[in-house]
Amino acid sequence: MKLTCMNLYLLRKAKSSWENFVDDHSRVLEKKGKDDAITLASFIKDKKIQFDITLCSSAARTKETLDIIYEQVPSAFKEISVLDSLYHASGDQILDHLQGVNKLNVLIVGHNPGLSEAINFFQKKYVIDYPTGVFAGITSSNMNEKLTVDFIVRPKKVKIINRVRMLIS
């Protein structure tokens, strides 16, 4: 895989509801998911994280997660693209979306198991399943050689929980 230098952020959508289930693509967030998205927005604002391009699955719950974060921190976003191809994309398909992206700060909002697979690829270890709302920051000057997983966090009860022993500056 040949990727340009970037700061990559991977976000698994927040907790969705099965209430009034019509079809999977149309499911929306439950209250906990909405609260978690607001908590993530605070983290993004506090850390002054910026996204030059955001690629988001077309599912209602991923778009709603992104919309809530955007409402809280609109200045963090420059360009947003909603893609059907990210709906339940595998880890390899998520990584394929990075091919040819010529932006410094990239956010991908998607689903499991693909998001966990992509994080595992960069972390070079296997974690079965990252929970809803997990947010990972990965930096590299050359993604094929020098890779740093800066953080993997998740919102829980209006707090950010560090998922791995990594420094969050």
Side-chain angles (χ1 to χ4, degrees), residues 14-108:
K15 181 78 174 152
S16 56
S17 175
W18 289 95
E19 196 172 303
N20 301 323
F21 178 72
V22 177
D23 72 280
D24 186 65
H25 195 266
S26 301
R27 282 192 301 126
V28 295
L29 298 182
E30 64 179 37
K31 181 179 180 342
K32 178 190 179 314
K34 292 175 183 179
D35 292 344
D36 287 350
I38 291 169
T39 301
L40 282 170
S42 293
F43 177 82
I44 289 165
K45 184 177 182 177
D46 290 348
K47 301 301 174 195
K48 298 178 175 55
I49 298 172
Q50 298 286 306
F51 310 110
D52 296 320
I53 187 166
T54 299
L55 306 176
C56 181
S57 161
S58 61
R61 59 197 180 273
T62 51
K63 294 189 300 184
E64 189 176 4
T65 300
L66 180 59
D67 287 346
I68 290 169
I69 295 170
Y70 179 85
E71 287 171 13
Q72 301 293 312
V73 198
S75 61
F77 298 89
K78 290 186 181 170
E79 179 183 341
I80 298 172
S81 293
V82 175
L83 306 171
D84 288 332
S85 56
L86 280 174
Y87 176 62
H88 286 305
S90 70
D92 286 341
Q93 290 168 323
I94 289 169
L95 297 176
D96 286 347
H97 279 84
L98 298 173
Q99 300 293 333
V101 172
N102 195 17
K103 302 286 184 177
L104 178 60
N105 301 296
V106 179
L107 169 64
I108 295 181

Side-chain angles (χ1 to χ4, degrees), residues 116-136:
S116 288
E117 292 168 0
I119 292 169
N120 286 337
F121 171 81
F122 291 111
Q123 195 174 222
K124 301 197 180 351
K125 74 181 201 180
Y126 184 72
V127 175
I128 294 173
D129 182 17
Y130 285 103
T132 54
V134 77
F135 182 54

